Each structure stands twice: as C-alpha cells, then as structure tokens.
Amino acid sequence: MRTPQGGIFALGTASHAYLELDLAEGLAGPDLVAAISSLREPRTTMGGVNLVAGFRPELWREAVPDDAPSGLAGFDADLVGSDGFTMPATQHDAVLWISGSAYDVVFDVARAAIAELACLATVAEETSSWPYRHDRDLTGFVDGTENPSLVDAPELVLIPDGRPGAGGTILLLQKWVHDAPAWEALPDEAQERVMGRTKPDSVELEDKPPDSHVASTDQERFGKIFRRNMPYGTVMDHGTMFVGFTAEQRPLAAMLEEMAGQGDGPRDALTLYTRPLTGAYYFVPSTESVRRAASVP
C-alpha cells in the first residue's frame, strides 16, 4: 500500500501557508515537478513542519504519465450558475501547503522553498491561515462536522491500490471571502437556516431549507470528502480557505455545481454571504510517487 503525504491528515496544526506556483515561461514542466518533489524526503518533515505538494493534473501527467489518475483535469473554466453567480477558475501549476505548530517555522520553510524554486517558478497566490475558536470558521459555525474520522478518511479519499495515482488524492483549493457585516446582521436563527445546522452544537436541522449549505453539499448524495478548511485574512478582509480532498474529482465538482445553482436545486444560500476568489484542482501524489518524481532526470 502506498503512503499518502503525511500533512494531509496532520490535524491540530496552528499555522498554515498556501503557495500556488506558476512555471516560468519557456521552462519544462517536469523540471518543476522534480524540483518540488526534491524539497524534502517524502516521509519526513522539516523543522516540525508538514509540507504537502500538489500539481496541476496536466503537469503531473506530463511528468509521470503512468501515475496520473485518468480523467482528472484542472479548474480551467469559470463555473457559472443560472443567475450569473460565478466561481472563478484560477488554476496554477503547483501548490505547496505548509503547516506547523507556529508561524515562524512555517514562514521560514515557505521562504526557503520559494528560494529553492526561484529559477523555475513564481508565486502566483499566497495565503496564510490559522484556526479560530478551535474548530469554527469565521461564520461562527463548526467547520468539518461531516468529516470522516482519521481511521476512515484514508480509505475514502485516497486513490486505491491498483489504479494510476494510488495513494494520492485530489485537492480542491478555493479562497472564499466573507461579507462579514451582512452575515453578522442576521440573527442566529436565520444563520442556522442558511447553514442547515445549529450554531452552538452543529446539529443538522430536521427542517433545513433546500437552499441551505448542508443540503447543497450533502455527502450522502455526492460522496465523501475530507476537509482541512482554515480561516484566513485580516480583521477587515477575511474568509475561509476551502481545502477538500477526495479520491474522485466528481464529488467535488458536483458540490460546486449544486452550490452555484447549476443542479436541480436552488443556489446555496451561503453564497449570498461569501464568494470564491480562487479555484484550482491539484493532484497530491503519494510519498512514493513524490520520491520517484524527484529522481527523474
């Protein structure tokens, strides 16, 4: 059995950084894959920091064609709902997700990685994140209530042995900015109907509206995902980094379509108070595949 990159399931880390990278013009994609894969030994961490590397599906397929999941594609076109609500496509070539117990070590490792890759890639998007009230997002609700346990998650979100990309997983990364004044103007009961859950203890409402966030992202309907969402931003400009993993791309894509109002149901009511600024899919290979990619000339 292949081993997933350890940081995917390393819960409890207090500081996070997401670096999305673009290959420099005129350079070869496989060189970037090899360089990123060489940043660390796949089974170790650097200075107490988890470093997870993901690649644009087409770039990974170019570099390691026999280890690329079939049918996986980048987020290359905006997703537009029936009323014009848009989830933008901002696909980049690679992502580094760095997490640790404190921001100083995350900061140092991020700078070292950027310096190491400077001849091959530029940083197109940088976001820093941190936990809020243990397990809540900046709406005040618990985030990740439906997450599978760490015992069950690998079986559900890692590509099974015997298939291309085994031990790897598919990542959807989106940055959602919140309209905090509009959200906080709602009474708690109205917020709960938007979410489809109670605010204090995250119990699903029996009479949740069809446009509630829970109804729009029902994992029993679309399939299981494993979320590592984190708050990001400043006092005046903040939101949620959606960090979702799955073994198949379709559950993630179907949830986005439903949220945008492309499906049979209404647009997700939560999107009246938050909107995505970015959107990208990445393939996160197994540690064995990363090691192999690092050794390719």
Side-chain angles (χ1 to χ4, degrees):
M1 179 179 293
R2 294 190 183 182
T3 310
Q5 295 186 46
I8 297 169
F9 302 112
L11 302 182
T13 45
S15 296
H16 299 250
Y18 310 89
L19 304 175
E20 294 185 83
L21 307 168
D22 282 336
L23 180 68
E25 187 175 354
L27 299 184
D31 290 342
L32 178 60
V33 171
I36 290 176
S37 299
S38 300
L39 287 176
R40 63 178 173 94
E41 287 295 325
R43 290 181 179 271
T44 67
T45 60
M46 300 189 300
V49 171
N50 299 296
L51 176 57
V52 174
F55 303 94
R56 177 169 56 86
E58 296 82 0
L59 181 63
W60 178 258
R61 188 172 294 115
E62 179 187 359
V64 193
D66 62 345
D67 195 45
S70 60
L72 178 59
F75 202 138
D76 297 323
D78 292 350
L79 193 162
V80 182
S82 57
D83 63 354
F85 175 77
T86 300
M87 295 187 183
T90 60
Q91 184 69 53
H92 299 290
D93 288 319
V95 63
L96 299 179
W97 168 30
I98 304 166
S99 62
S101 59
Y103 188 68
D104 56 350
V105 289
V106 170
F107 178 85
D108 285 343
V109 170
R111 292 195 69 219
I114 292 169
E116 185 72 19
L117 301 171
C119 295
L120 290 168
T122 57
V123 177
E125 185 79 30
E126 175 193 356
T127 306
S128 298
S129 293
W130 29 267
Y132 179 71
R133 297 187 182 180
H134 180 59
D135 58 359
R136 296 180 184 266
D137 65 24
L138 296 180
T139 66
F141 283 75
V142 174
D143 198 347
T145 301
E146 292 295 321
N147 255 359
S149 70
L150 289 180
V151 173
D152 297 329
E155 182 178 349
L156 293 170
V157 303
L158 298 179
I159 296 171
D161 285 345
R163 288 171 49 186
T169 185
I170 298 161
L171 164 64
L172 171 61
L173 186 67
Q174 287 182 303
K175 184 175 184 176
W176 289 74
V177 64
H178 293 183
D179 184 349
W183 177 254
E184 291 165 358
L186 297 177
D188 282 357
E189 182 179 350
Q191 291 183 357
E192 289 178 340
R193 291 187 66 77
V194 170
M195 285 292 191
R197 290 187 175 278
T198 58
K199 193 170 186 178
D201 46 12
S202 199
V203 175
E204 187 171 328
L205 301 179
E206 291 186 5
D207 60 343
K208 60 182 179 294
D211 65 346
S212 68
H213 185 57
V214 169
S216 298
T217 59
D218 183 2
Q219 293 192 37
E220 297 303 320
R221 177 182 170 194
F222 295 110
K224 290 292 185 180
I225 64 173
F226 183 70
R227 297 190 303 179
R228 293 293 310 275
N229 296 1
M230 294 294 290
Y232 80 89
T234 66
V235 173
M236 297 300 294
D237 182 12
H238 52 257
T240 298
M241 286 297 291
F242 179 87
V243 185
F245 296 93
T246 185
E248 300 279 353
Q249 187 171 25
R250 188 56 198 160
L252 290 166
M255 287 182 189
L256 295 188
E257 291 166 3
E258 189 74 10
M259 289 179 67
Q262 280 195 352
D264 296 333
R267 174 180 153 193
D268 189 335
L270 185 59
T271 62
L272 298 174
Y273 305 96
T274 181
R275 60 183 174 86
L277 302 177
T278 69
Y281 287 107
Y282 296 101
F283 177 59
V284 181
S286 69
T287 55
E288 291 83 0
S289 295
V290 169
R291 185 183 298 115
R292 176 187 171 195
S295 64
V296 173

